[in-house]
Structure formats: C-alpha cells, structure tokens
Amino acid sequence: MAPRNDRRMISASDDSAKMMKQVLANHAPDGHEVDVRPILSIIEDIFRRATATPSKIDGVPNGTQEHMDALHDNKSPAAFSGTPEPLSDIIHKICCEISCKCSGGGDALATTMALFNTLSSYSWDTKMVLSLAAFAVNYGEFWLVAQLCTENSLANSVAVLKQLPEIPAGYDGLKPQLDELNNLIGAMLDLTNCIVEFKQLPSQYISNDGQAMSMDQAHYQAAYWTFRSIVACNSRILSLRGLRHEYTTSTTDELELSTLAHKVSNIHVYENLKKQIDFWRQQIDKIRQIEEYNNLVRLLEKNNQDNIKILRALIYAEDLVDGETRTTVQIDVLKKKHVLLLISSLDNLSQEEILVLRKMYKDLKASKECRIVWLPIVDRSIDWQQTLYKFESLQKRMPWYTIQDPATIQPAVIKYIKEEWKYSKKAILVSVDQQGRILNQNAFHTLWIWGISAFPFTAETEEALWKEKSWTLELLVGGIDATILQWMKEERFICLYGGNDAAWIRKFTNSAKAVASKAQINWGMAYVGKKNAKKRLEEISSIITKEDSSHIVIDGTAMWFFWARLERMLYSKLQHGMSVEKDNIMREVMTLLSFDGSDQGWAIFWRGKTQEMASAKGTAAIDCMEKFHEWQNDASQTGFIEGLNNYLHKIRTGNHCNRLILAGVNGAIPGRVPCADCGHDMEMFFMYRCCPEKYGFLALLGLMVCAISFGINKLRG
C-alpha cells in the first residue's frame, strides 16, 4: 500500500489568494479550440460502466458483462471515431503524471499545480475535461481488471501483481470507500459539464459586461477543485492496492473525499454558473426568436419561386403524416400545390369543424390541387403526455397532412401566426398559393360561406361573390339541407325557426300550421336550433320528431354549420369594411344572430327563392300566428309575407332587450352595432363564459346588450 505520510488534507492554502494567483500564472491558452463534448461523453460512459458492477445502475441488475453492455447507448465510445492523436498524447502524459506522483505519496497541492503547468496552453473547460479523461483511464483500467479477475486468467494475473481487491466478492467491505469516491466523481462531472456548457454558449449573444467577465474569470476555481479532487480520487484508487484479502477503512481518507465532494458541489462558482447558464439560455432564446421572427417576416414579404421554402420555414420539418394512408411523406409532396394551413390549438377545433372540413377537402383535393396541413399551436407548459394524447386523437380524425410532432412548431412561428395572422382562440385557415404567397389569412370565412367555388379564397374572389348575392333564403341556407332546397324550387312559403324553449316551439308550430291551413298556402317549416346548446338541441329535436311538428335540419353537424356559417358571413362583411347602415345582408345576419342571442324562440318567413321575408321573435312571433284573423284580409290583398310584415310593424313596441353574442375571431368585433328593433347603438360588455357542452374550453365572447326601455331610447337617439 502506498505511503501517505506526506499527503495533506484540505487546508486554508487551498483557497488562498496566493494559490489562485499561481493557478492563473500557469494559464496561457494558445487559442486552439477543442471540441470536448465527445471526450466528455466517453468519460461519462467509463464512469457509468465502471460503477455498474455490482451495484444496480439505471435499473440494470448485478454483475455480468451482458448487464454492463445493456447500458450501451449513443454516448458509448463506438459512437465516436476516436480521440485526436495529440489529445491522446496529453491524456497519457497526465495519466502517468498523476499515477507517479500519487503512488509516491506526493503532496496533493504540488501534484495539482503540476497538472496546471502541463495543461497551461488549454482553455479552462479543456483543462478540466482532459484531466478527467486521464483519471477516467486510470479508473477504468482499475475496474476493468478488478471486475474480470474472477473469470479471466489474464485479468486475475494482473490483479495479483497489482494486489487489487477481488470485486465483487469483497464489495461489501469496500462499499463505504467506493461510495465516497463515486459521490466525488459525480460532483466533478456535474461541475465540468456546467463549465463546458457555459463555454459553449454562443459568444455572439453574450454581452461583455462585468458579470459575464467575472464568471469567465471564476472558471479557474472550478478547474482547481476538479484537479484537486482528481488527485485525491487517484490516490484513493492506488491505496486499494494491497487490500486483496483485508479491507480497512481510513476515516481520514473518507473525510477528505466527502469534504472535497461537498466543496465541489457547493462552491459559489457552480451555483453562479448554473444561474448564468439559465439566464443566458433565456436571453439567447429570446434573441434567436427575434432573429427567426424577423427572418420569417422578410421571407414572407419576398417574391418566392415556389411554396416549399415558405412551408419549410413555417412547419420546420422535412416530413409530414399523410392522414389518408397514415404514412410519413416528405414535405416536397406539397410543391406546386395550393396549401391551406389549418392552425388551431388542441382544444378549439371541434368535431363539427373537422367533419365539415373533411367533406370540403375531398372536393378541394380532387378538383383544385389543394392540400390542407394542420399546424397545432400547443401550450408547452402543461403535461406533455396529455398534450400528445390530445394531438394524436385529433390527428387520427384528419384525412389531410399533419405534422409528426407538435413541438416542431417554433416559438418564432407561433409569434408570427399570432401577430401577423391575428390568431387568437378560434382556428384559422391560411391560404398559400403555389408561389408561397399568402392569399388569405383566414379562408374559413370564405370556405364556409361559398365552399370550393371561392377557390383560391382571395379577398377579390370573395368580394366578387358578395356582389352577385342579395339576402335570400338560398344564401342563408346554402346547401346544408336538401329538403329546404327542394321547398325553394317548389316556391313554397318557408318558415325557419329556432330557440331551445320547448313550450314556445310547441305553441308556435301548432299556431303556424293552423295559419298555413287557413291561408291555403304551400307551407314548409324547418327547425334550425340554437348556437352552443348541443345537449338541449338533441332533446328539442327528439320532441319535434315525436310530435311531428316540423322538419328538422338533418343532423347536429348541419345545425352547427348553419350558425357557424352565419357568423362567418358577419366576419367576412367586417373584413370587407361593411357596416349595417350600408349593407342589407350584414344587417339581416346581425338581426338573426341577435335573435339567437335572446332567451326566446324566433322565426323567419320566406317565399321560395324570392327576397320577400319577415321575421319575429318571442311573443310577437306567436301573436302574429294566433291573431291571423286580424291581418288575414291584408295578406289576401298584398300577399302573405307583406301582410305579415305590416302586422308585425303594427304590434311592435318600444320596450325590448336584444342581445348579440359573438365569439371573437381575430379581433373582428364591430365597434358599434345598431339594435335590430330600434336602430339605436347597442351597449358593449364582455362576458367570460365556460360552456361544458361547447367542448369544454373557456371562451372569451363579446356580449352586446341593448337594454332600451321608456326614455332610454331618446337618450341614445
């Protein structure tokens, strides 16, 4: 066993200013940069494998070479082409130096300073990694022989000559010493990784202020205590020679290692570096996000040859998932295709939206060479497993292309989507043509209203379509219900009604049927429900079907689409700068939406495909049916719709309370809205509403209330 008389415990001289001046005096880097990460990975691999027997590491059970090989991963030596020859020379030199000086019982401080002299031309992080590499070689050789000596004759002979202890047979006796050794090794690795990580932060982003310079100068303390610990650890390994049959524990030795482990783990440099690394990481992320954002802005403002460069910048991935085949495809499949980017969170894309979009996508793909790509915007602060579960659940229902991993959408892209495309809560559909030009920041409005006839969904195309249209039942209904379309062809008088008050519906439908019979008109009635009342609508629809009160719009999805499309009409008009004073369609859409916002039932009456229509809600709608005898003659002379309008105008009172509830889409909430009944401006309030029936997410809605009674009309006039 090596003599230990001249070795010293940690003393005040270790921390003295004189000692640290000597360390700095031996630091003369030549500017040559070394990539130390691969070497550090090999070092970690050696320490992990060496300590894998006979204890339990990472869940791998005791002892055999097979078990140690189970630890093999990408950080193993096989993952690297080898250490550069000049570095292998210096590592060998340090191995010999620390072995010779420690085996001779030399002074620990002198040995430590000798290492600084040998490594004077290297940077602080490289000094630490090379010294650890040298110790790892000695440590690995020790454990390699010690572990194999019981099953390999060559290893046994070497172990006998070196007088190494038999491991694992005598592990229990050595465990206290080895535990202290392993604790110190772990502390050295943590500190070295911290220094390397700080050194490898991009220097162009780090300011040269006093704090950064101070941290850079403080690296020598980390290097010093790493060297000092390596010397102590190597001495401990050498001290195990001669303990082949007897195991003794030196309290002094254990105290030295535990003291060093505490020192390395708790020196202020380590804690400060960790804080600095966290700080600079955040700063670098912010700077890079700003740079990436600005690059994205410039890229999308340029005239590009095709769309792939734009799509790569937005999607940040080379592969996509084809929703029809469930296979991975390259992003190049979108080249020269018109692309609709479906952007949503995992919570605000409803089942109905997906179902309607699926039907339209089939036609878009077949006739317009158009593809959809889903870009989910996820909250990375919540449980990632829950996020992936939601993502995969939605992905399975989509026939279009999706990204493979929601984490690939970069923060700069999300910032661009929110700031430039005004994405907030509700899903948007961004239209990108074959040259990568953004034609429409939200084509949902256009697609929902006009279908694929509005392709390629530009503002000009939509404006042209609006110019061709007037407020008719055909525009209101679109193609969502074949029965209503057939009634229009037959020139029937058609009544659409809604609400979720079963008593009102029963009373209104019975009285309306009686009116149709008395007026002897060809009559059709259809129930179109109410927004955001899914469960209640199922109950109402069941009652209407059971009582055979009227026709019902086909299913819940069609009913949802009726209201979603109506809202999109309003937002489309707002995007085109329209107002209720100037645009009749917008005025009628807002009237119908305000009907739905009330707690009452409502009805709208049409004559076939013509523009003749009348509308009423609540008691007025029932009164005009029950008191048909009061306007029957007028209806016979002027026509049913005109007679109905005359009577509604006659019974209208000044007392009313209209509500218009609009889900905020990209900030497109009108600043002023006239009341549908009196024309005065409605007051605007905000309502935060959580609707369990509406897919369970918190929606911010603008609530516009017109509370007009008695003299308030004059005050607002």
Side-chain angles (χ1 to χ4, degrees):
M1 179 176 175
R4 299 175 52 83
N5 299 341
D6 296 331
R7 294 190 64 242
R8 297 187 296 172
M9 283 290 292
I10 299 171
S11 65
S13 60
D14 282 288
D15 279 320
S16 69
K18 182 180 179 181
M19 180 63 65
M20 294 310 167
K21 283 183 180 179
Q22 291 180 35
V23 171
L24 289 172
N26 279 317
H27 182 58
D30 58 11
H32 178 67
E33 294 293 332
V34 177
D35 183 8
V36 297
R37 270 295 174 196
I39 304 172
L40 189 55
S41 294
I42 296 174
I43 294 168
E44 290 174 332
D45 185 78
I46 290 172
F47 287 136
R48 185 172 62 249
R49 290 171 182 274
T51 57
T53 303
S55 60
K56 204 172 185 179
I57 303 295
D58 294 334
V60 179
N62 299 354
T64 67
Q65 184 63 40
E66 180 182 354
H67 292 145
M68 286 191 292
D69 288 342
L71 293 173
H72 184 79
D73 59 18
N74 290 331
K75 290 184 178 179
S76 70
F80 305 96
S81 58
T83 306
E85 187 175 346
L87 292 184
S88 64
D89 290 344
I90 193 68
I91 290 171
H92 178 69
K93 183 178 180 180
I94 299 169
C95 283
C96 296
E97 191 167 353
I98 58 177
S99 294
C100 291
K101 291 184 183 296
C102 292
S103 62
D107 183 274
L109 294 179
T111 305
T112 300
M113 297 310 298
L115 291 179
F116 277 108
N117 185 59
T118 302
L119 294 168
S120 62
S121 64
Y122 295 96
S123 61
W124 295 114
D125 62 315
T126 306
K127 291 182 201 288
M128 294 173 68
V129 172
L130 292 179
S131 60
L132 265 181
F135 171 62
V137 170
N138 288 342
Y139 188 72
E141 287 177 349
F142 166 81
W143 276 101
L144 189 62
V145 174
Q147 289 172 357
L148 296 177
C149 65
T150 59
E151 56 187 63
N152 183 285
S153 299
L154 176 60
N156 184 61
S157 298
V158 173
V160 170
L161 291 177
K162 287 195 170 188
Q163 287 293 288
L164 298 182
E166 293 181 358
I167 299 174
Y171 179 78
D172 289 342
L174 291 173
K175 188 176 186 304
Q177 299 182 59
L178 295 176
D179 284 348
E180 293 292 348
L181 188 65
N182 290 334
N183 288 339
L184 181 52
I185 289 171
M188 286 191 295
L189 280 173
D190 288 342
L191 181 58
T192 303
N193 270 299
C194 194
I195 293 292
V196 169
E197 191 172 358
F198 186 85
K199 177 66 184 302
Q200 293 187 344
L201 290 173
S203 59
Q204 68 269 30
Y205 297 115
I206 299 178
S207 63
N208 291 321
D209 58 18
Q211 189 177 22
M213 294 174 68
S214 173
M215 292 310 302
D216 188 54
Q217 292 169 359
H219 286 187
Y220 69 81
Q221 295 182 30
Y224 175 80
W225 286 109
T226 299
F227 284 15
R228 182 73 172 80
S229 299
I230 286 171
V231 172
C233 288
N234 206 79
S235 297
R236 173 54 54 86
I237 292 296
L238 292 173
S239 74
L240 295 178
R241 290 181 300 180
L243 299 181
R244 189 164 178 80
H245 302 294
E246 297 180 6
Y247 307 106
T248 59
T249 301
S250 167
T251 304
T252 303
D253 286 346
E254 288 183 8
L255 181 61
E256 180 186 28
L257 293 187
S258 63
T259 303
L260 281 168
H262 178 78
K263 183 72 177 177
V264 171
S265 298
N266 294 281
I267 59 174
H268 72 279
V269 171
Y270 181 49
E271 292 302 321
N272 287 349
L273 273 175
K274 286 197 297 183
K275 292 177 182 177
Q276 283 290 300
I277 288 171
D278 290 340
F279 171 79
W280 284 113
R281 272 180 179 166
Q282 293 174 14
Q283 295 303 308
I284 290 168
D285 283 345
K286 289 178 182 177
I287 295 169
R288 282 179 169 169
Q289 283 180 31
I290 292 171
E291 290 178 348
E292 290 170 5
Y293 175 81
N294 291 334
N295 290 337
L296 195 58
V297 170
R298 285 191 291 269
L299 178 62
L300 287 164
E301 287 176 348
K302 286 170 55 179
N303 291 324
N304 297 284
Q305 297 299 317
D306 61 49
N307 59 357
I308 292 300
K309 192 173 182 179
I310 296 292
L311 294 174
R312 279 199 176 101
L314 292 169
I315 297 171
Y316 219 77
E318 284 297 319
D319 295 325
L320 299 170
V321 176
D322 186 332
E324 291 183 338
T325 63
R326 301 298 167 191
T327 58
T328 301
V329 296
Q330 290 190 332
I331 196 173
D332 288 333
V333 299
L334 301 174
K335 192 170 185 178
K336 300 302 180 184
K337 297 285 194 300
H338 194 102
V339 176
L340 296 175
L341 299 175
L342 174 60
I343 300 170
S344 75
S345 75
L346 301 181
D347 296 315
N348 65 10
L349 193 62
S350 70
Q351 178 181 347
E352 289 81 4
E353 281 176 300
I354 294 176
L355 288 173
V356 172
L357 196 55
R358 281 175 67 103
K359 294 176 183 178
M360 293 186 176
Y361 181 59
K362 186 177 180 181
D363 295 333
L364 279 170
K365 189 176 180 183
S367 61
K368 302 296 183 182
E369 283 297 302
C370 182
R371 302 292 184 269
I372 295 177
V373 181
W374 180 41
L375 304 186
I377 306 299
V378 300
D379 183 353
R380 303 190 187 197
S381 65
I382 64 174
D383 179 67
W384 193 246
Q385 289 303 315
Q386 181 183 356
T387 296
L388 287 178
Y389 175 78
K390 287 183 177 180
F391 167 74
E392 290 167 1
S393 298
L394 283 172
Q395 188 184 45
K396 289 175 183 176
R397 291 154 52 190
M398 297 178 176
W400 42 79
Y401 295 109
T402 64
I403 60 173
Q404 288 184 294
D405 181 357
T408 59
I409 307 298
Q410 297 300 298
V413 175
I414 295 173
K415 175 181 169 70
Y416 184 90
I417 288 171
K418 289 181 176 180
E419 294 191 2
E420 300 296 328
W421 294 342
K422 311 304 178 188
Y423 169 79
S424 179
K425 291 285 185 182
K426 294 181 76 68
I428 62 174
L429 197 65
V430 180
S431 180
V432 185
D433 73 1
Q434 292 88 337
Q435 285 74 46
R437 293 174 299 183
I438 308 301
L439 302 184
N440 194 331
Q441 293 180 5
N442 191 1
F444 259 133
H445 305 331
T446 314
L447 184 63
W448 260 209
I449 299 166
W450 310 107
I452 67 170
S453 64
F455 184 86
F457 312 112
T458 62
E460 294 75 17
T461 304
E462 185 174 33
E463 190 172 3
L465 288 167
W466 274 125
K467 286 180 179 178
E468 298 172 1
K469 295 293 181 180
S470 55
W471 182 243
T472 62
L473 182 58
E474 184 179 14
L475 174 63
L476 174 60
V477 174
I480 65 171
D481 189 277
T483 300
I484 298 175
L485 295 177
Q486 182 59 37
W487 288 347
M488 283 190 280
K489 289 179 182 179
E490 297 170 1
E491 291 294 326
R492 289 195 189 192
F493 287 92
I494 301 168
C495 173
L496 303 186
Y497 68 99
N500 61 358
D501 184 339
W504 183 94
I505 289 172
R506 184 177 290 111
K507 194 172 184 180
F508 172 75
T509 53
N510 289 336
S511 58
K513 284 180 181 179
V515 167
S517 176
K518 291 176 184 177
Q520 296 183 338
I521 55 176
N522 195 7
W523 180 259
M525 293 181 69
Y527 177 65
V528 294
K530 183 178 177 65
K531 283 192 305 178
N532 305 335
K534 195 173 182 181
K535 277 189 178 180
R536 182 60 177 157
L537 291 185
E538 291 174 0
E539 297 170 3
I540 297 292
S541 297
S542 177
I543 293 171
I544 293 172
T545 302
K546 184 178 180 181
E547 298 180 0
D548 195 23
S549 302
S550 73
H551 172 66
I552 301 173
V553 171
I554 301 173
D555 56 31
T557 300
M559 207 173 281
W560 170 88
F561 187 54
F562 173 85
W563 291 106
R565 187 169 171 272
L566 199 63
E567 273 193 348
R568 298 290 176 173
M569 288 184 189
L570 174 59
Y571 297 132
S572 173
K573 287 291 185 179
L574 287 169
Q575 282 186 343
H576 287 280
M578 294 293 104
S579 65
V580 291
E581 294 89 353
K582 298 177 182 178
D583 192 278
N584 180 58
I585 293 176
M586 185 175 179
R587 181 165 54 251
E588 295 296 348
V589 167
M590 292 188 76
T591 298
L592 199 49
L593 288 172
S594 71
F595 281 179
D596 181 72
S598 72
D599 295 325
Q600 301 172 312
W602 58 269
I604 185 168
F605 305 86
W606 300 83
R607 184 170 72 84
K609 293 182 178 180
T610 71
Q611 296 183 45
E612 293 182 43
M613 56 87 60
S615 59
K617 67 171 182 176
T619 55
I622 292 178
D623 284 349
C624 67
M625 294 293 103
E626 291 184 337
K627 298 178 180 179
F628 176 60
H629 60 278
E630 294 185 14
W631 56 279
Q632 185 172 6
N633 289 336
D634 190 20
S636 300
Q637 295 173 11
T638 62
F640 183 82
I641 298 296
E642 188 172 347
L644 176 56
N645 271 323
N646 291 338
Y647 183 76
L648 289 171
H649 181 74
K650 178 182 175 182
I651 65 172
R652 180 173 290 138
T653 64
N655 298 332
H656 57 274
C657 182
N658 288 341
R659 294 192 306 238
L660 175 61
I661 300 177
L662 301 175
V665 176
N666 306 339
I669 294 294
R672 55 180 297 269
V673 177
C675 172
D677 278 308
C678 65
H680 290 90
D681 287 350
M682 303 173 86
E683 290 184 280
M684 180 184 286
F685 297 86
F686 286 100
M687 176 176 70
Y688 295 87
R689 187 174 74 174
C690 180
C691 304
E693 288 187 358
K694 184 59 179 175
Y695 322 116
F697 68 92
L698 186 64
L700 172 61
L701 302 167
L703 174 61
M704 302 174 185
V705 178
C706 179
I708 306 174
S709 61
F710 301 100
I712 297 181
N713 283 346
K714 295 181 180 179
L715 290 174
R716 297 193 182 281

